[in-house]
Amino acid sequence: MDKITIILVTSVLPSHPDTDIIDQTIKSIRHHLPHSEIIMQIDGLRDEQLDRKDDYDEYKTRILWKCLHEYKNVLPLIFDDFSHQSTMMRTTLDYVQTPLILYMEGDAPLVTDYDINWDKCIEFIEKGDANTIRFHFEAVIPYEHENLMLGVKKGFMRTYQWSQRPHLSSFIYYRDTVMPAIPERSFIEDTFHGVVASDYLDHGMIGWHKHRLWIYYPDEGKNIKRSHHLDGRAGGLKFTSDDDVWQS
């Protein structure tokens, strides 16, 4: 798919220097998109993580070797300083040469036991019906999320629920709408889920049309699971965007 560039995020995990998690995620990408370029964002360490430097340096050495000798068409971008999703993404967009991006966190691979109709997804975005299509990590929409759904059209579920789970998006939308709303050195989802929700709740479908956010919803919703989670933090907590407080 020469219309898609995959943005793949990796940062220090308890399992490093082992590369198994990123290997699984790349394998899942290649199952679906064997030739598309992958840009791998390799984040730096927080001050609080400097005790992991030796393990993380060895991990980076291993994946750089794999980029040269094992992975195919993977461009590593190394960030010497801690940059987080937002700052890395601003830099990475300068390297994208395709109209679409597939954003993936390093421990959230696509499933390989069900197909994704990539041509249909691409067409849905290219025709202007969607800016972003997310690949859900559960087989059905959870009951507690049903109020965030706005109806099905042509195998896609309209929603105002933003998530950083794997999603296919217009490059222009990410560059011109998503990134200007996100502060430096932060999780993209932590800010942008509120932006999308507020636009819909304040302005109804006019607000929704600013984002045109969907979930891939094949087979009339019988099984929509198209991604899963390897829990790279191994049950640990994550930093909030203020870099000082841990949250689940």
Side-chain angles (χ1 to χ4, degrees):
M1 295 287 181
D2 59 2
K3 293 184 177 182
I4 299 174
T5 298
I6 297 95
I7 309 298
L8 179 61
V9 187
T10 189
S11 59
V12 67
L13 298 176
S15 60
H16 292 159
D18 187 89
T19 65
D20 182 62
I21 287 177
I22 200 74
D23 290 341
Q24 289 186 58
T25 301
I26 290 176
K27 184 177 180 180
S28 80
I29 293 169
R30 288 304 179 221
H31 175 84
H32 291 275
L33 301 169
H35 305 298
S36 296
E37 182 178 35
I38 298 171
I39 301 178
M40 186 189 298
Q41 301 172 330
I42 307 170
D43 203 0
L45 286 173
R46 300 173 183 270
D47 291 342
E48 299 90 340
Q49 299 167 322
L50 291 178
D51 63 314
R52 300 298 319 287
K53 184 177 188 303
D54 289 346
D55 284 340
Y56 193 47
D57 284 349
E58 174 61 22
Y59 168 75
K60 289 190 288 186
T61 297
R62 293 181 186 184
I63 59 174
L64 288 174
W65 186 91
K66 286 171 176 277
C67 286
L68 286 172
H69 302 289
E70 181 178 324
Y71 305 147
K72 304 299 181 183
N73 198 18
V74 177
L75 172 66
L77 293 184
I78 301 173
F79 293 81
D80 293 329
D81 298 322
F82 168 66
S83 301
H84 220 326
Q85 290 181 352
S86 61
T87 300
M88 288 196 296
M89 194 61 176
R90 287 190 173 90
T91 298
T92 302
L93 288 176
D94 290 338
Y95 292 83
V96 176
Q97 301 181 45
T98 56
L100 303 175
I101 61 173
L102 174 63
Y103 188 98
M104 295 185 61
E105 295 175 322
D107 63 348
L110 300 168
V111 302
T112 57
D113 50 350
Y114 288 94
D115 292 334
I116 294 172
N117 188 332
W118 294 99
D119 289 337
K120 182 177 181 179
C121 292
I122 291 169
E123 181 181 26
F124 204 54
I125 294 176
E126 286 186 331
K127 285 188 173 182
D129 290 312
N131 285 327
T132 298
I133 301 166
R134 186 168 80 250
F135 301 103
H136 209 261
F137 71 101
E138 293 176 297
V140 297
I141 303 295
Y143 172 77
E144 58 269 24
H145 292 171
E146 288 181 357
N147 63 310
L148 303 173
M149 305 300 145
L150 302 171
V152 178
K153 176 182 178 181
K154 300 179 181 178
F156 300 94
M157 172 67 79
R158 187 186 286 109
T159 182
Y160 64 96
Q161 179 198 32
W162 181 271
S163 168
Q164 217 57 28
R165 297 286 184 173
H167 55 277
L168 184 68
S169 190
S170 157
F171 168 83
I172 292 174
Y173 173 68
Y174 240 90
R175 183 192 65 190
D176 295 348
T177 303
V178 178
M179 297 316 303
I182 311 299
E184 294 292 335
R185 299 201 335 168
S186 65
F187 286 107
I188 294 171
E189 176 183 322
D190 283 1
T191 296
F192 206 64
H193 78 94
V195 173
V196 175
S198 293
D199 282 340
Y200 171 72
L201 294 173
D202 292 345
H203 305 290
M205 291 307 296
I206 292 175
W208 179 86
H209 274 280
K210 177 180 178 181
H211 303 286
R212 282 170 283 173
L213 174 61
W214 302 80
I215 292 170
Y216 188 62
Y217 199 80
D219 302 324
E220 299 179 346
K222 294 176 182 177
N223 185 349
I224 65 172
K225 182 180 177 71
R226 292 299 184 275
S227 69
H228 61 107
H229 190 216
L230 300 175
D231 189 20
R233 290 196 300 271
L237 304 177
K238 75 172 185 178
F239 278 109
T240 57
S241 296
D242 63 12
D243 296 340
D244 294 320
V245 183
W246 292 87
Q247 69 175 10
S248 60

